[in-house]
Amino acid sequence: MYMRHSVVTGLGIQLPKRVMTNAEMSKLVDTTDEWIVERTGIRQRYIAGDDERTSDLAIGAARAALADAGTDAGEIDLIIVATSTPDNTFPATATAVQAGLGITHGAAFDVQAVCSGFVYALTVADSFIRCGQAHNVLVIGAETFSRILDWQDRTTCVLFGDGAGAVVVKGYEAGQAPGDRGIIACKLRSDGRHKEKLYVDGGPSSTGTVGYLRMEGREVFKHAVTNIASVMQETMDEAGVGVADIDLFVPHQANVRILDGTARKLGIDPDRVVVTVDKHGNTSAASIPLALGEAKAQGRLHRGDLVLLEAMGGGFTWGAVLLRW
Ligand code: UT7
């Protein structure tokens, strides 16, 4: 039995200034608003300007999360940034966030699990808290995927967007958490046999270039619903809860058809699924905290709610986190 317990105490988001609609996209590549909406559910996405780096979005989201939690930056002893679009190959974007927040103690590092990054980072934070290595953790999903898109490839460039979301995760001694709030179960999975189905065709040790995102969309789609549904079920089983007990499902936002397919497979009422892919596109590691932010702004996320997060992305990686909000 673990001694300590992780509770999400604050949430913040930051979106870039510029919105790009499907109509604008159709001026760049051979596509239409109808195709994008019908195949993906996406209507617009946010695109970071030259003055908006991944760390800038991450810092904005982190400040908002700290304010929401009523936590001073000085109390943070660990920063984890989930990103596949870091400011630089190194150092970790998390160190830029640390400096930006004026924090000089504790530790900061990045986690790279592409679209599953936020679920991975939250699981790492929970583990650090449970074993007493950290007490107040900032977990941030932040991306500028627009920088790694091939803007001539209509099969990928219409799908992704930029943004950041952050949560403050606080450690409590057993029995001290307010109500029965906190992270209940986490499950992470990966299967590297599929690493070439969704990848970036560059990198420091291969081409020496940054590269562009490449995806076999249909292949990824084929695995998505099965993988996501199975890891959600395993997570619920471990906690001894069922679909009917979950107040809110907050999935990674890749394609509305994947969200619908997963909901159908598990018998989830669509009213309990948060959908933001229409507004944000696929923002990779940022999509879950952005969706949490949207749900909160709409009054759909309440203290004490049982919430299930899930994601799947390049690698393949996938995973789920069950928590009482
Ligand atoms: O977040 C990480 C995980 N990522 C995902 O989960 C993405 C998973 N994949 C998907 O969401 C979908 O597979 C896509 C949205 C990427 C594609 O949808 P699809 O229904 O699987 O379409 P498709 O790739 O089978 O393409 C259908 C047709 C093709 O034309 P033909 O070969 O049938 O003549 C494509 O060339 O649609 C064409 N097409 C487009 N047409 C207009 C592909 N992209 C576009 C486009 N505009 N942007």
Side-chain angles (χ1 to χ4, degrees), residues 29-32 35-36 39-40 114-115 153-156 158-160 198 215-222 224 252-255 257-258 282 284 312-314:
V29 286
D30 181 17
T31 191
T32 60
W35 189 95
I36 302 172
R39 298 293 179 121
T40 71
V114 207
C115 298
D153 176 10
R154 69 174 184 173
T155 69
T156 53
V158 303
L159 303 174
F160 296 89
L198 173 50
M215 176 164 71
E216 291 174 41
R218 229 174 296 182
E219 277 296 306
V220 180
F221 195 104
K222 241 170 51 189
H252 166 56
Q253 308 282 319
N255 187 323
R257 290 189 290 138
I258 296 176
N282 180 347
S284 189
M312 175 181 152

Side-chain angles (χ1 to χ4, degrees), residues 146-322:
S146 61
R147 312 275 214 254
I148 55 163
L149 295 176
D150 175 350
W151 285 96
Q152 298 184 343
D153 176 10
R154 69 174 184 173
T155 69
T156 53
C157 74
V158 303
L159 303 174
F160 296 89
D162 303 334
V167 292
V168 176
V169 189
K170 193 174 168 59
Y172 285 87
E173 297 307 321
Q176 301 297 306
D180 55 354
R181 293 173 65 200
I183 294 178
I184 298 163
C186 306
K187 283 255 171 268
L188 300 183
R189 291 294 321 278
S190 64
D191 184 347
R193 287 175 300 176
H194 302 287
K195 65 185 166 54
E196 265 127 46
K197 295 196 173 93
L198 173 50
Y199 72 110
V200 169
D201 64 2
S205 89
S206 53
T207 58
T209 63
V210 172
Y212 294 108
L213 182 149
R214 306 291 174 206
M215 176 164 71
E216 291 174 41
R218 229 174 296 182
E219 277 296 306
V220 180
F221 195 104
K222 241 170 51 189
H223 288 84
V225 172
T226 314
N227 286 349
I228 291 166
S230 78
V231 82
M232 286 168 78
Q233 192 61 58
E234 283 169 34
T235 309
M236 289 189 284
D237 289 348
E238 184 175 297
V241 302
V243 161
D245 300 312
I246 310 288
D247 297 299
L248 204 61
F249 293 86
V250 186
H252 166 56
Q253 308 282 319
N255 187 323
V256 78
R257 290 189 290 138
I258 296 176
L259 307 189
D260 291 346
T262 310
R264 259 198 314 276
K265 195 169 168 102
L266 291 177
I268 297 168
D269 173 0
D271 287 349
R272 283 188 287 140
V273 181
V274 178
V275 180
T276 54
V277 70
D278 54 332
K279 285 174 81 168
H280 302 151
N282 180 347
T283 57
S284 189
S287 90
I288 289 177
L290 283 173
L292 284 167
E294 185 75 17
K296 192 171 172 217
Q298 291 173 353
R300 294 178 67 192
L301 178 61
H302 314 102
R303 190 159 281 195
D305 278 354
L306 197 56
V307 178
L308 187 60
L309 318 177
E310 57 84 351
M312 175 181 152
F316 294 144
T317 55
W318 64 105
V321 173
L322 179 72

Side-chain angles (χ1 to χ4, degrees), residues 82-123:
T83 189
S84 302
T85 45
D87 289 5
N88 299 91
T89 301
F90 78 78
T93 299
T95 60
V97 174
Q98 186 188 29
L101 296 175
I103 301 171
T104 53
H105 60 270
F109 58 84
D110 290 358
V111 159
Q112 219 285 46
V114 207
C115 298
S116 312
F118 188 76
V119 162
Y120 268 62
L122 199 53
T123 302

